[in-house]
Each structure stands twice: as C-alpha cells, then as structure tokens.
C-alpha cells in the first residue's frame, strides 16, 4: 500500500480537477501526480533518507508528501515556528534529509551535515519541470513509513509518531468515499502541515476529489475572506480558530459564508458556548462535525455528526444537550473501550482511560517502538467515558487529572461549568501542590464581564461537588496556547503553583 | 496465487485493476471477467470477458468475499466482475460519514 495510490486514482479519474490552490498558484490532480514523480526522482538522486518540510502551507506540502511516498522515504513536516536548539534537535533526528523551506531559512540552514536544503520556489520548479513523469514504481509495502510527525510535546520532549502507509490508507479508505465531492466543492485547510489534521485534510480531500484551498496563516478575517471568495464548502478548524471566527462575526456583524455546508472541528476541547454560538451564527443547513483523534491514530477515530449536533443543540433534555460536548461515536473499523488503571474494561458511564484499536491506529514512536498492547489496543492517555448510547466523552489527558485528597478530579468538567458563566471568556483548571490535600484545584480565568473569585466559587459549588471548587482563582489577560490551539497546562500549573 | 495486503493485480481481459486490502492465507483463485487476475506488471493474456462475469467494477469501491476475509479495492474500473473460486465478490457497502477533515 502507498498513499501514492490514492493520488494515482484521483489523477486517473479526475485529472483535470484542481487538487490544491494557494493564493494564485494551483495544481490539478494530474499535475500533482506528475509533480510527485519528479520530486521522487529528485530526492532519489540525493543521499537523503527523509523528505522534510519546514514551511507554511503551499502546494509544496502535498507534492512533498506524495513525492516522498513515491520515492520510498518518510515525509516529515516540521513545525515552522521552532527555532534554535529545538529545531536543531529535530533536524538531527532525521538527517540525512532533503529539507524544503523558505528562502530566509534556506540561507540559515545551508551547509549543515547531511542536510540538503532547497527553497520552496526551487522545489516547486522541480515539480513543474519538463522531465517526463517517471514510471509508477513506488513500493506497495504496507509497512513502509509514510509520515513522521513530531507530537506537540506539551508534556515533554517531542516524540516522532510513526504513521505507515497502511495506517494512512486504512484511515482514508475507512472514512472517505472515492470521488464523493462535487466538482465545485472546496475545502479550506488552515491547520498547519505539521498537525495530523493537516495531513488528513490533504489525503481525504484528494481522494474525495475536493479542491484544497490553503490558508497559510490563520486569522479570523482572513479565513472568512477566503471562505467567501473561494466558495468554500468544507472546512476544519481547531477550537481557538472557531472561537476567533465566532468573535469576528459577532464584532463585525458580518454574515457567515453562505457557501459553507460542512464545518468540522477538533484538535482540542471545544467549549460548549462557542459551538452553541457558532451554530446560531452559521445557517442552520451547515453540518457541524466534532472529530476526535490523535496523531498516533492517523487522525480522527470518533465523530459527533451533524444530526447529533442539531438534536443536542436544540434539546431541553440535559442528558441529550450534554452530547454536544461529546466526541460522538467511533468510526467504523475503530473500536473504543474505557479501561481502569489495571487495563480492565469498566462499565457504561464509568470513567477511565480511552483505549482504541483499528487498522489506522499506529501507536508507535520512532526509536521507542510500538506502544500497542495485547490484541492491538492503544492506551491513549486520554480520560473519558461512554454513555449508555455509546457516545464517547473525552475528559482530557490523564496526566492532567487533579488528585485532591485521593479523589480524582477532571479539569475539563470544572472548566465546562466555568465556561457556562456569562462573565467567563476562557479558563484553565489545574492541580497545584497543596500541603493538606496533596493537590488543590486552581483556575486561571479570562474575563469578558464582571465577576469576583467568590462568585465563581459559588457558581462551581452550585453545579458540582464542593471538592471541585477552585481554591485559588487568578484573573489573566489570556491563557497560554500553542499555535494549533492546545492549552499549555504545564505553564498554567507552573504559574498558579508558584504564586501562592 | 498467494496474495498479500498491498499487492496490485489487473484483469487479463478488461481494464480492471485492484489492490489487495485484506486476504486470507493460502492460494486463491481470483478472477475478473472470468479470467485469472495477474500481477499488475505482467503481460495481460487478453481474450473476452465471459458473459456471466460482466457486471463491471467501479473505481474506489471495495469488493469482499462471503467470509469477509478477502477485500479488494478497485483502483481502475473495467467491464468484468470479480470472483474468487467462481463465487462473485460483492460490493462492500460504505457507511456514509460526515466529512471530518
């Protein structure tokens, strides 16, 4: 198996359709196919063992992803925000390599051992070159590595997740119907290439025949502008992006783009009020989908679909309404179990760790081997539970659980309640060292109205047990997020833990 | 012929090409259009599509045997239809999923 085969099919069946466009530049499926072949020839002519990209989104991203697959080497999209020692450490792990980057970086990185640096412009010129498209000679070995993706490392040094061709192909075949998109369909891709959702978006859109419109640097007004102008029908955003889009629409009184039919979100926990507001700002015909997944599972493993959104959003039954905060149900071909600390499945409604199994589940890190346990199960390190109808609720990283006096408290549950308060714009709940309880509940709050710490404590107490009431509350101007919208809890914990 | 996941095969008598997604162990007698499937790089023997194996294949569709342990993805469509040991493979119904990325 090889991701190249997906492109070959798209090129054969809909070669003239635009596959990817960015600003004024675009490639059809047939151009992308031929370009991938030329890229493969080029990298095979070097001593590289990896093809890496350190750049914002552009047609070079799909060209490098497929070209690497054709050449039989892993594609490595690196975080273009990294600099200095952090970046050096990652590069060291992938040399010898070809690295595609912007002109400025190309100068900085030139001359390093084992690194052949090429600018994006030169790389695109190779892809567009006159050389004939090579014979399709890519390996179909399912175990070959398609993508190495460094995890965001919010809890420590980044690990490189190993995604093999069989994982990516299984994900696409299991979740996307070939050529399902209409000719005019267009997907707005604003997640960076080094995020698994960015990789998934490229592969699914190409297999579905949906034109990819790249937005290299996300801003809410930029997103709305491209959505209007490019006739965007599908889009995926992380929660902070949707939060900003909603705020932009509310502030400017602008209309949501009418071409949009499907808006998917994931990559972090979506506060309920944000999705509620988004659903009232976008036309009721827009299909909202919550996608839950991990890098190690080749992206999405569970979805809360459009019908579930509509039923939950406009329902008075609190049990049904609550489902809007769930990750929905596992994809076909993906099994989910909730297990206790000993790895034993728990009963419906009981909390534990989310375990997952399926063809798309890699659960492997470079140099550390497979983390899959008996029967092919992967413990995600995410806490959660399943309700009686099989809806999956994700409670956040298990490492983030607050242990107060022997009781396990989930930060997400307390944050959900705080988010419901009219004066709270954003919040983060963490455990901080406490002499009496081992850990105490602390909260950093960003305000959009007036409220005192005591009032917020009373608010939480009114909705949850008193053990969950934050003993320490600080008001901040903003919370620390990384660029893909992941809350940096470690930073919150450090700040709240030391300023006692 | 003995198969493995990822193997690419083509029909000897029509344009059909497939990729093996899943396969049971052992030799399988796979046909398309009534004639054996061959390795994608081999020369096609040629000939006519048998009248009772002429339902066609569709690109992007997956075909399975009755036991469900053999699955082929059609990567190029053709006139013939797929069978294993004379039993027609059937279209695997895909569950419609919302677009999640």
């Amino acid at each position: 198996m090889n991701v190249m085969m997906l492109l070959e099919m798209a090129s054969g069946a809909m070669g003239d359709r635009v596959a990817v466009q960015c600003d004024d530049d675009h490639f059809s499926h047939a151009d992308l196919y031929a370009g991938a072949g030329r890229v493969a020839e080029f990298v095979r002519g070097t001593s590289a063992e990896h093809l890496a990209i350190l750049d914002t989104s552009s047609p070079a991203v799909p060209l490098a992803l497929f070209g690497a697959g054709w050449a039989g080497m892993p594609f490595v999209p690196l975080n273009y925000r990294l600099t200095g020692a952090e970046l050096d450490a990652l590069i060291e792990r992938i040399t010898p390599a070809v690295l595609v980057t912007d002109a400025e970086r190309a100068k900085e990185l030139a001359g390093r051992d084992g690194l052949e640096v090429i600018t994006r412009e030169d790389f695109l010129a190779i892809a567009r070159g006159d050389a004939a498209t090579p014979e399709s000679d890519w390996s179909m070995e399912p175990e070959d590595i398609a993508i190495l993706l460094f995890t965001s490392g919010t809890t420590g040094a980044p690990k490189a997740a190993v995604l093999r061709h069989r994982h990516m192909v299984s994900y696409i075949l299991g979740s996307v119907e070939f050529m399902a998109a209409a000719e005019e369909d267009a997907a707005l891709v604003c997640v960076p290439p080094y995020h698994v959702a960015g990789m998934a978006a490229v592969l699914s859109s190409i297999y579905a025949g949906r034109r990819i419109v790249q937005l290299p640097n996300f801003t809410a007004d930029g997103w709305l502008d491209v959505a209007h102008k490019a006739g965007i029908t599908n889009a995926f955003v992380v929660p902070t992006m949707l939060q900003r889009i909603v705020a932009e629409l509310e502030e400017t009184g602008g209309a949501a783009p009418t071409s949009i039919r499907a808006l998917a979100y994931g990559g972090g926990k979506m506060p309920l009020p944000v999705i509620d507001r988004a659903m009232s700002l976008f036309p009721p015909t827009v299909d909202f989908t919550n996608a839950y997944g991990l890098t190690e599972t080749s992206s999405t493993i569970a979805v809360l679909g459009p019908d579930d959104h509509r039923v939950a959003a406009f329902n008075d039954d609190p049990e049904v309404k609550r489902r809007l905060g769930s990750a929905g149900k596992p994809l076909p071909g993906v099994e989910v179990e909730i297990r206790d600390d000993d790895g034993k499945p728990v009963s419906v409604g009981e909390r534990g760790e989310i375990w997952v199994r399926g063809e798309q589940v890699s659960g492997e890190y470079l140099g550390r081997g497979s983390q899959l346990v008996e029967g092919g199960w992967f413990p995600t390190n995410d806490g959660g539970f399943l309700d009686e109808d099989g809806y999956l609720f994700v409670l956040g990283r298990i490492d983030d659980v607050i242990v107060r006096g022997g009781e396990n408290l989930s930060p997400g549950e307390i944050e959900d309640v705080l988010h419901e308060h009219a004066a709270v714009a954003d919040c983060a709940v963490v455990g901080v060292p406490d002499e009496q309880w081992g850990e105490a509940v602390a909260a950093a709050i960003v305000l959009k109205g007036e409220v005192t710490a005591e009032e917020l404590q009373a608010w939480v107490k009114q909705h949850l047990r008193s053990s969950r009431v934050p003993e320490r509350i600080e008001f901040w101007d903003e919370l620390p997020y990384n660029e893909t919208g992941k809350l940096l809890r470690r930073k919150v914990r450090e700040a709240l833990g030391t300023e006692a | 012929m003995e198969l493995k996941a990822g193997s690419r095969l083509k029909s000897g008598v029509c344009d059909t090409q497939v990729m093996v997604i899943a396969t049971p162990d052992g030799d399988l007698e796979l046909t398309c259009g009534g004639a054996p499937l061959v390795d994608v790089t081999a020369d096609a023997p040629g000939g006519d599509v048998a009248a009772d194996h002429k339902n066609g294949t569709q690109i992007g569709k997956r075909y399975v045997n009755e036991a469900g342990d053999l699955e082929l993805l059609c990567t190029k469509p053709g006139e013939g239809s797929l069978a294993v040991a004379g039993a027609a493979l059937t279209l695997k119904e895909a569950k419609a999923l919302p677009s999640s990325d």
Side-chain angles (χ1 to χ4, degrees):
Chain A
M1 285 179 209
N2 193 308
V3 294
M4 257 317 295
M5 200 197 62
L6 307 174
L7 176 58
E8 185 187 36
M9 289 168 70
S11 175
M14 40 193 171
D16 291 339
R17 276 197 199 183
V18 173
V20 56
Q21 77 177 65
C22 186
D23 299 324
D24 299 331
D25 198 9
H26 71 271
F27 279 72
S28 68
H29 286 104
D31 292 342
L32 196 57
Y33 177 84
R38 293 186 193 111
V39 164
E41 290 278 282
F42 160 65
V43 293
R44 278 172 175 171
T46 69
S47 55
E49 288 169 15
H50 296 90
L51 174 53
I53 198 159
L54 178 71
D55 198 8
T56 54
S57 281
S58 81
V61 171
L63 282 164
L65 165 64
F66 289 111
W70 191 322
M73 61 179 72
F75 173 57
V76 193
L78 294 170
N79 183 345
Y80 51 78
R81 289 169 201 270
L82 295 181
T83 54
E86 280 182 312
L87 179 62
D88 293 345
L90 300 192
I91 288 177
E92 206 168 287
R93 289 170 69 182
I94 57 162
T95 47
V98 166
L99 178 81
V100 184
T101 189
D102 59 79
E104 200 175 317
R105 291 257 204 173
K107 270 186 220 151
E108 278 169 36
L109 295 168
R112 293 215 186 179
D113 271 356
L115 198 63
E116 179 150 344
V117 183
I118 179 168
T119 64
R120 183 209 291 182
E121 284 67 32
D122 290 348
F123 184 77
L124 288 173
I126 288 172
R128 282 213 164 82
D130 311 324
T133 311
E135 284 296 306
S136 55
D137 61 351
W138 55 82
S139 160
M140 285 294 276
E141 172 53 54
E143 296 298 330
D144 284 351
I145 299 173
I147 305 171
L148 284 181
L149 216 47
F150 286 96
T151 58
S152 51
T154 48
T155 50
K159 294 175 284 196
V162 176
L163 301 176
R164 298 179 186 276
H165 283 281
R166 66 182 170 91
H167 299 127
M168 300 314 295
V169 172
S170 296
Y171 170 63
I172 295 302
L173 297 184
S175 65
V176 187
E177 188 73 4
F178 182 70
M179 227 172 144
E183 188 129 24
E184 64 277 9
D185 285 6
L188 181 47
V189 176
C190 54
V191 278
Y194 57 82
H195 192 290
V196 70
M199 291 294 96
V202 167
L203 294 171
S204 342
S205 300
I206 280 171
Y207 198 63
R210 187 175 295 122
R211 174 167 51 106
I212 297 166
V213 180
Q214 295 171 316
L215 179 66
N217 293 297
F218 175 86
T219 57
D221 62 332
W223 188 92
L224 288 164
D225 188 47
V226 173
H228 278 295
K229 285 182 185 155
I232 295 300
T233 54
N234 297 60
F236 175 90
V237 287
V238 300
T240 42
M241 291 173 179
L242 190 61
Q243 207 156 13
R244 287 180 203 165
I245 292 163
V246 163
E248 175 79 11
L249 287 172
E250 285 174 343
E251 276 164 30
T252 61
T258 49
S259 54
I260 290 193
R261 295 198 310 262
L263 191 51
Y265 59 91
K269 193 169 170 56
M270 177 68 82
L272 270 184
V274 174
I275 191 67
D276 250 343
R277 278 149 64 209
M279 288 185 74
S280 63
L281 286 165
F282 281 86
T285 47
V286 171
D287 286 343
F288 281 88
T289 297
N290 179 11
Y292 164 68
L294 298 92
T295 304
E296 297 89 332
T297 60
S298 317
S299 181
T300 309
I301 50 174
V303 291
L304 183 77
D307 293 341
D308 287 323
H309 273 79
R310 293 193 182 98
V311 169
F314 307 108
N315 206 297
D316 294 332
D317 180 345
E319 275 301 301
V320 178
K321 178 102 192 161
R322 190 172 72 143
R323 280 193 191 140
L324 203 50
S326 83
K329 294 183 175 178
L331 295 184
V334 171
E335 296 169 84
V336 167
E337 280 187 1
I338 308 296
R339 301 198 187 180
D340 64 16
D341 292 346
D342 300 323
K344 297 212 168 55
V346 301
S347 42
V348 167
E350 213 176 307
R351 291 164 181 223
E353 182 173 6
I354 299 171
W355 289 52
V356 58
R357 173 163 79 171
E359 294 289 336
Q360 67 180 74
V361 177
S362 143
E364 181 187 353
Y365 303 108
L366 196 64
R368 300 186 190 198
S370 171
Q371 312 291 309
L372 300 188
V373 297
E374 210 185 317
W377 287 94
F378 176 60
T380 62
N381 193 33
D382 272 344
F385 65 92
L386 288 161
D387 77 4
E388 54 191 20
D389 292 314
Y391 286 83
L392 175 67
F393 288 77
V394 183
L395 298 166
R397 305 304 280 171
I398 285 181
D399 305 341
D400 296 331
V401 165
I402 303 163
V403 187
R404 181 185 183 272
E407 192 182 1
N408 287 350
L409 311 179
S410 155
E413 180 187 39
I414 304 167
E415 287 163 4
D416 283 347
V417 168
L418 286 166
H419 267 296
E420 296 287 336
H421 194 284
V424 173
D426 204 357
C427 63
V429 170
V430 295
V432 293
D434 184 86
E435 274 185 29
Q436 189 183 358
W437 298 102
E439 271 191 311
V441 180
I445 309 274
V446 180
L447 289 178
K448 61 177 176 188
E450 282 192 24
V451 67
T452 64
E454 291 72 27
E455 283 165 341
L456 284 177
Q457 285 166 330
W459 172 263
V460 175
K461 196 169 179 178
Q462 190 189 325
H463 292 86
L464 297 168
R465 270 182 273 167
S466 58
S467 60
R468 284 149 173 84
V469 173
E471 282 134 279
R472 188 175 310 153
I473 291 183
E474 280 188 17
F475 296 104
W476 292 6
D477 292 337
E478 57 176 8
L479 298 181
Y481 285 98
N482 77 3
E483 62 285 355
T484 54
K486 270 211 177 94
L487 178 66
L488 300 171
R489 286 184 188 275
R490 184 172 42 85
K491 289 198 171 172
V492 179
R493 219 167 7 237
E494 280 165 11
L496 289 177
T498 51
E499 289 169 24
Chain B
M1 78 184 346
E2 191 129 8
L3 301 174
K4 65 173 285 199
S7 300
R8 302 187 76 169
L9 309 168
K10 68 178 179 188
S11 167
V13 293
C14 73
D15 292 335
T16 298
Q17 287 191 12
V18 297
M19 183 189 77
V20 179
I21 306 280
T23 175
D25 290 335
D27 278 347
L28 292 179
E29 191 199 323
L30 273 181
T31 58
C32 182
L37 280 169
V38 297
D39 186 88
V40 76
T41 56
D43 288 329
D48 294 326
V49 175
D52 50 348
H53 291 269
K54 214 174 185 176
N55 290 327
T57 50
Q58 296 172 55
I59 187 167
K61 298 293 180 192
R62 289 185 282 171
Y63 294 86
V64 288
N65 63 350
E66 208 182 335
D69 54 2
L70 173 70
E71 184 173 330
L72 306 177
L73 170 73
C74 173
T75 56
K76 211 174 163 191
E79 215 186 327
S81 40
L82 297 160
V84 61
L89 298 187
T90 54
L91 201 63
K92 183 176 176 178
E93 289 302 329
K95 195 181 161 209
L97 284 175
S99 163
S100 64
D101 44 36

